[in-house]
Amino acid sequence: MNFEDYQYLFKFVLIGDTGVGKSCFLSQYVKGKFIQEYDPTIGLEFESKSIEFNDGIVVQNQLWDTSGSSQFMAIQKTFCQNAAAAIIFYKIDSQNSFKSLENWINILKQVSSDMIQIVIVATHQDQENQRQVQTQQGRNLADSIDAKFYEISNHDKDQIDGIINSLSYNVLRLINSNKINPLNTQYGVKMSRQQEQQYASQLDNTDDNIVQQQSSPNRRSLDMKQEQNTISPNKTTASPQRPEQEETEQNQQQNKPQLQLIFILLPIIIAYGLYYILL
């Protein structure tokens, strides 16, 4: 499989104290090999593995194994940035490794996005007789930060595969629900060139639909204006009748005094005529 044989690339970081089983977890997932002898990581290690989901989407998981030593704290913070998911480790037979989880969680809060997927993994489940941390303690801590919780044995590859596959599925679901923008590097996601072109095309189609939806009320308003314009000519043709009516009313008002004057003068004229006749 070449570098571009995937749709998405996810960045996962593995953090926790030295000796909690991060490197063994990584080896089992990528190579299916359990590391017998403890060999502390210096700085960081990097491995990748691709998985294909039922819908044909191929995801390449990049897993960064950071050293748990305090002298590499600067490197740990740097590589926790822009991560899609983080797996925090402690071992059930070490109370100190469990107490250190608070420090690792604080590092994630400082440098990661608010959409990072977090999993707490308790290793050495096969060493129950040496347990120092109860299962409920780990589960309570995970619940307090809205994280998944697992107790595992690094001998169990199926369990390890299930954890990574579940994380990949959750990140992919956030992308599909538009809660993660795969073009924004802060979310620890990268798309192949082909997938990026398809995603950009989908965004363009979405923008066109939004524009069409926004423009439809404007067309309706234009229709309403046209309806108003079809009505308004009737109003304008009726308006010239008003001045004629007003002129008639004015003439009638002007004629009223003349008629009144005639009615007043007529009896006087008749009286004078009778007076001269009688004389």
Side-chain angles (χ1 to χ4, degrees), residues 11-26:
K11 176 185 176 182
F12 295 167
V13 292
L14 282 57
I15 57 177
D17 283 359
T18 299
V20 292
K22 300 186 299 295
S23 296
C24 188
F25 181 97
L26 181 60

Side-chain angles (χ1 to χ4, degrees), residues 27-272:
S27 177
Q28 277 281 38
Y29 175 66
V30 177
K31 304 173 183 178
K33 181 180 178 181
F34 179 79
I35 300 176
Q36 296 288 347
E37 297 181 1
Y38 170 63
D39 185 15
T41 301
I42 299 176
L44 61 91
E45 294 180 357
F46 160 78
E47 295 284 358
S48 66
K49 182 178 178 180
S50 296
I51 58 175
E52 183 175 354
F53 290 94
N54 293 333
D55 56 1
I57 296 296
V58 177
V59 173
Q60 184 179 110
N61 294 315
Q62 286 188 349
L63 290 88
W64 298 85
D65 175 17
T66 61
S67 172
S69 176
S70 59
Q71 62 180 321
F72 296 108
M73 186 61 67
I75 295 177
Q76 294 159 358
K77 287 185 177 181
T78 299
F79 280 90
C80 282
Q81 294 178 354
N82 305 331
I87 306 175
I88 314 175
F89 292 82
Y90 75 93
K91 52 185 181 180
I92 67 170
D93 53 339
S94 172
Q95 185 68 36
N96 288 334
S97 68
F98 179 75
K99 291 180 179 179
S100 296
L101 291 184
E102 183 177 356
N103 177 55
W104 295 109
I105 292 170
N106 288 334
I107 290 175
L108 288 177
K109 289 181 178 179
Q110 293 172 15
V111 300
S112 64
S113 76
D114 56 350
M115 298 305 296
I116 188 172
Q117 300 297 292
I118 300 177
V119 168
I120 294 179
V121 172
T123 61
H124 292 194
Q125 188 185 41
D126 51 320
Q127 299 182 17
E128 182 66 32
N129 59 338
Q130 300 180 32
R131 178 184 288 273
Q132 296 181 13
V133 183
Q134 299 303 313
T135 301
Q136 193 60 43
Q137 290 179 268
R139 185 172 287 113
N140 290 341
L141 178 61
D143 291 342
S144 68
I145 60 171
D146 195 24
K148 297 287 187 180
F149 174 76
Y150 300 91
E151 270 194 0
I152 69 167
S153 166
N154 279 341
H155 289 278
D156 191 342
K157 185 182 187 308
D158 291 339
Q159 199 172 16
I160 293 173
D161 289 348
I163 293 172
I164 301 297
N165 293 346
S166 177
L167 276 175
S168 299
Y169 175 79
N170 287 338
V171 175
L172 193 61
R173 180 173 52 85
L174 291 174
I175 294 173
N176 292 334
S177 61
N178 297 322
K179 293 182 179 179
I180 284 181
N181 180 0
L183 298 177
N184 192 333
T185 57
Q186 71 167 324
Y187 296 115
V189 175
K190 182 180 181 297
M191 291 187 292
S192 65
R193 295 182 184 90
Q194 182 179 1
Q195 185 68 20
E196 188 172 344
Q197 292 174 355
Q198 293 179 0
Y199 184 80
S201 177
Q202 291 175 357
L203 287 180
D204 291 340
N205 292 334
T206 301
D207 292 340
D208 291 342
N209 292 334
I210 293 175
V211 170
Q212 291 176 0
Q213 292 174 359
Q214 290 177 345
S215 63
S216 58
N218 296 331
R219 290 200 299 269
R220 175 58 185 162
S221 63
L222 290 174
D223 293 340
M224 292 177 65
K225 289 182 180 179
Q226 291 176 355
E227 291 176 1
Q228 293 175 354
N229 291 335
T230 57
I231 297 175
S232 58
N234 293 332
K235 294 181 179 179
T236 56
T237 54
S239 59
Q241 296 177 1
R242 293 182 180 178
E244 294 178 359
Q245 294 176 354
E246 292 176 355
E247 183 177 357
T248 303
E249 292 175 355
Q250 290 177 356
N251 293 335
Q252 291 177 352
Q253 291 177 356
Q254 291 175 357
N255 292 333
K256 283 183 179 180
Q258 295 177 358
L259 292 174
Q260 292 175 353
L261 181 61
I262 291 174
F263 287 133
I264 295 173
L265 293 177
L266 183 60
I268 297 174
I269 293 173
I270 294 173
Y272 275 106

